[in-house]
Amino acid sequence: MNKIKFLLALCLGFSLQTFAQQTTARAEIKTPEASCDMCKNRIETYLGRLDGVLKVKVDTKKRTTTVDWLTARTNIEEVKTAIANCGF
């Protein structure tokens, strides 16, 4: 009986921990130099490698980049720095 309670408590603890790490954020960043498909692919590939980034979408017509990330792993400043290091 004690083993079952222990296993249930352990499973509950792991599930709560994974839910706590799922806090995400989204930002739309202006990238006026991104005007072609090569630019789009370069930014999406570069940011996709950044730890904590979940989704990257570059709109070449609006010249913006939309980024979703996990707040526990990265922040907006790191994302902007990565875009700048990419050449945009």
Side-chain angles (χ1 to χ4, degrees), residues 26-54:
R26 175 179 285 183
E28 187 173 300
I29 303 165
K30 292 181 182 180
T31 49
E33 296 86 16
S35 59
C36 64
D37 287 336
M38 281 181 43
C39 299
K40 175 182 175 177
N41 290 336
R42 185 173 179 180
I43 293 171
E44 288 177 350
T45 302
Y46 197 84
L47 287 181
R49 294 179 185 161
L50 189 65
D51 186 37
V53 173
L54 301 173

Side-chain angles (χ1 to χ4, degrees), residues 13-79:
F14 281 129
S15 63
L16 289 177
Q17 182 181 10
T18 57
F19 285 126
Q21 294 178 354
Q22 297 301 322
T23 305
T24 61
R26 175 179 285 183
E28 187 173 300
I29 303 165
K30 292 181 182 180
T31 49
E33 296 86 16
S35 59
C36 64
D37 287 336
M38 281 181 43
C39 299
K40 175 182 175 177
N41 290 336
R42 185 173 179 180
I43 293 171
E44 288 177 350
T45 302
Y46 197 84
L47 287 181
R49 294 179 185 161
L50 189 65
D51 186 37
V53 173
L54 301 173
K55 183 179 173 186
V56 180
K57 183 179 179 196
V58 178
D59 188 349
T60 55
K61 291 183 181 179
K62 292 182 181 178
R63 297 191 179 191
T64 59
T65 301
T66 305
V67 184
D68 295 343
W69 71 89
L70 294 173
T71 57
R73 294 187 184 175
T74 191
N75 58 32
I76 186 67
E77 294 304 319
E78 290 181 12
V79 172

